Amino acid sequence: MSNWLISLEGTPSGHNLALVLALLAAVLHAAFGALQKGRHDPWLTRGAIDASYAVMAAPFALFVVPWPEPHMWPIFAGAWVIHIIYKLLQAMAYTRGAYTVVYPVVRGTGPLFAVIGAYFIFGEQFNLVQWLGVAVLLSGIFGLAGYNLVYLTTERSTLHAALGLAFLTGLLVAAYTTYDAYGIRATADPFTFLAWFFLIDGLVMPVIALRRWRKLEAPPAPGPLMVRGVIGGVVAFFSFGSIMMATRLDNVGQAAVLRETSTVFAALIGWLVLGETVGPRRTALMALIAIGAVIVEMGG
């Protein structure tokens, strides 16, 4: 499969596959965010998820995929640092703000700076039509966050801190998107990057989560928490793997923008699963996000 995927790089077929993978990542990333913000403490859920995908990745990294080339170890170290900071900020934001407020700000900040980063790192350039699409998409994302901010009735006291943390988390999203795209392009086999990334990336948050769990007066039962962790681990594999493969096959900035249609799916999950209200105004803002993504795709 690796040889087949590599043969598609820079081809029309590769572009079409990258489009499908970016949209798949959008759906799965929204589900992943809801898992972390859902029933359990976000720190505990993230720890369970990371432990699960590290365990699942270990046999693939050690026995299936080719071992990383020597130059990949510093790249993995950089990715590890960026993702740890990202996850700490994200958990802090989720403990302070509603999912449908925090998530749009994170995902709205990410693609803008990812497009800019892709220009400086990979020499990618958006044309005027694509920048119009980015503007439409971002207006929908930040409009959705602003609407939620005005009409939200819970977690008001910590909301400003949550928004600040969400913005910083979005900057880290842009950083890891461009950096990981560089990493997956730097190795001969993309599955080597993915397997070793998940193994290395899953080593820290479980320790933090375990310490937090032990300090709780009434810690949740580990069984249901680990079930959520296993589900989240599988979702993470396909979500992160899809967007990383898309950035190897085609334009990094375009894949980053298309992934942020996840905000639409996040709002739907917030409504259907978490019981958060979605009205006609929010529906219209979600339509802007989708229209912006279509403009970016068609403009390219």
Side-chain angles (χ1 to χ4, degrees):
M1 179 174 283
S2 297
N3 292 333
W4 173 70
L5 286 169
I6 293 171
S7 72
L8 296 179
E9 293 177 16
T11 67
S13 296
H15 171 79
N16 293 333
L17 180 57
L19 169 63
V20 173
L21 289 172
L23 293 176
L24 175 63
V27 177
L28 294 175
H29 199 284
F32 185 86
L35 279 170
Q36 188 172 354
K37 177 59 180 175
R39 175 182 173 186
H40 296 99
D41 179 292
W43 295 89
L44 302 185
T45 303
R46 185 74 215 206
I49 290 171
D50 284 23
S52 298
Y53 68 55
V55 170
M56 289 186 281
F60 291 95
L62 297 173
F63 304 113
V64 178
V65 301
W67 275 68
E69 302 91 333
H71 70 269
M72 289 301 299
W73 297 114
I75 294 175
F76 283 130
W80 180 80
V81 171
I82 293 171
H83 279 268
I84 290 300
I85 298 173
Y86 155 72
K87 287 185 283 190
L88 292 175
L89 290 172
Q90 186 179 60
M92 292 168 66
Y94 279 155
T95 55
R96 290 167 172 81
Y99 175 62
T100 50
V101 174
V102 170
Y103 192 87
V105 174
V106 172
R107 308 320 303 184
T109 307
L112 176 60
F113 289 98
V115 170
I116 296 171
Y119 168 75
F120 285 106
I121 296 174
F122 304 109
E124 297 178 0
Q125 297 186 36
F126 271 21
N127 58 42
L128 290 177
V129 174
Q130 288 179 299
W131 275 114
L132 173 63
V134 172
V136 172
L137 180 139
L138 292 180
S139 67
I141 291 176
F142 285 115
L144 185 61
Y147 181 85
N148 293 334
L149 175 62
V150 170
Y151 291 99
L152 185 73
T153 58
T154 59
E155 298 176 306
R156 299 291 306 186
S157 61
T158 58
L159 195 55
H160 288 91
L163 290 174
L165 289 166
F167 178 78
L168 293 176
T169 305
L171 294 180
L172 267 296
V173 169
Y176 82 62
T177 299
T178 51
Y179 186 90
D180 293 344
Y182 168 78
I184 200 169
R185 294 179 178 194
T187 184
D189 191 317
F191 290 105
T192 294
F193 177 85
L194 293 175
W196 279 94
F197 167 82
F198 279 112
L199 175 57
I200 296 170
D201 186 61
L203 299 179
V204 174
M205 290 301 290
V207 177
I208 296 174
L210 179 60
R211 294 182 63 183
R212 187 178 179 90
W213 183 81
R214 286 177 173 173
K215 291 180 180 179
L216 293 176
E217 293 183 2
L225 182 62
M226 288 311 301
V227 169
R228 183 175 291 261
V230 171
I231 295 171
V234 174
V235 172
F237 270 126
F238 287 97
S239 173
F240 183 79
S242 294
I243 191 61
M244 285 297 95
M245 201 64 72
T247 62
R248 172 143 182 171
L249 290 172
D250 201 50
N251 186 292
V252 175
Q254 197 162 324
V257 170
L258 291 175
R259 179 184 56 184
E260 303 323 322
T261 55
S262 62
T263 309
V264 176
F265 302 110
L268 292 174
I269 290 171
W271 171 46
L272 295 172
V273 179
L274 301 181
E276 300 177 1
T277 304
V278 176
R281 293 184 181 87
R282 294 174 71 188
T283 302
L285 290 168
M286 288 188 289
L288 279 180
I289 298 169
I291 291 170
V294 171
I295 293 173
V296 170
E297 174 61 24
M298 298 302 293

